[in-house]
Amino acid sequence: MLKIILDFDRWELAGGKDIVSMESIRVRKYNRTVSVLNGTGTLLIDLDDKYEYGFSFARSALGNNQFNANPMKIPSRPICQFLSTYYREYQHMFLKYTNLPSVPEEGLCPFPKGTYWAKDAYVDSSVVPQAVPEGFWRVRPELRLVETGEAVATGSFYFRITKEWY
């Protein structure tokens, strides 16, 4: 049987400090096999359909930070649609580790400004498809203005995927 191990490396905020503040978000080793995300971030504005949000993925097969874009992505959608679809579908994975709002069936719009925390948050590796290759990965979330397509906030999550047979 194949076991997939997803291990956080770090988080970086690359732009958008006038929209979100995440200086205290850190990755730490929880035990010898799991890394977790801890800290507090502040969303400085309410996010509505003037903004769209999505994720792109890139992989460094050798782990040497030479990333190649991967066709796997979570396409950008206006915030209200993003919350009603992707966020709502996967919120069960992180609501127990954060104070992010729960999205009811009728949706949530706008996403409220405020201070949000993560405490020992991790991604359950069972949600990673077996076809995803091993390597060092970068996930880049982007918040864009719908009107112009300009990226107003972006960052990068870095993590390693390894596979073990047992």
Side-chain angles (χ1 to χ4, degrees), residues 23 36-37 39 49 51 55 71 74 80-81 105 107 117 126 137 140 146 151 162:
E23 284 79 31
V36 295
L37 198 63
D49 274 346
Y51 300 93
F55 294 86
I74 299 173
C80 298
Q81 288 179 23
E105 235 176 271
W117 53 262
S126 68
W137 286 82
R140 186 167 277 163
V146 170
T162 55

Side-chain angles (χ1 to χ4, degrees), residues 32-160:
R32 66 181 191 90
T33 60
V34 176
S35 293
V36 295
L37 198 63
N38 283 303
T40 302
T42 304
L43 181 60
L44 304 171
I45 62 171
D46 289 333
L47 296 177
D48 57 20
D49 274 346
K50 293 187 308 188
Y51 300 93
E52 63 182 16
Y53 193 63
F55 294 86
S56 61
F57 294 78
R59 177 175 161 256
S60 172
L62 300 175
N64 59 1
N65 288 323
Q66 294 181 3
F67 290 95
N68 294 315
N70 190 280
M72 178 176 62
K73 68 179 181 176
I74 299 173
S76 292
R77 284 191 166 173
I79 282 290
C80 298
Q81 288 179 23
F82 185 91
L83 293 172
S84 295
T85 55
Y86 305 131
Y87 180 94
R88 189 167 180 282
E89 185 175 340
Y90 292 101
Q91 67 185 347
H92 68 277
M93 291 176 41
F94 47 83
L95 286 179
K96 56 188 164 194
Y97 308 115
T98 70
N99 69 330
L100 290 169
S102 176
V103 175
E105 235 176 271
E106 62 274 6
L108 171 73
C109 199
F111 190 91
K113 68 181 176 180
T115 300
Y116 299 102
W117 53 262
K119 175 77 171 139
D120 296 338
Y122 67 94
V123 175
D124 181 359
S125 59
S126 68
V127 301
V128 178
Q130 289 188 359
V132 173
E134 291 181 295
F136 191 52
W137 286 82
R138 177 184 66 208
V139 176
R140 186 167 277 163
E142 282 192 342
L143 182 67
R144 295 183 170 277
L145 286 171
V146 170
E147 192 174 284
T148 63
E150 173 192 0
V152 293
T154 187
S156 296
F157 281 104
Y158 295 89
F159 59 92
R160 186 169 308 284

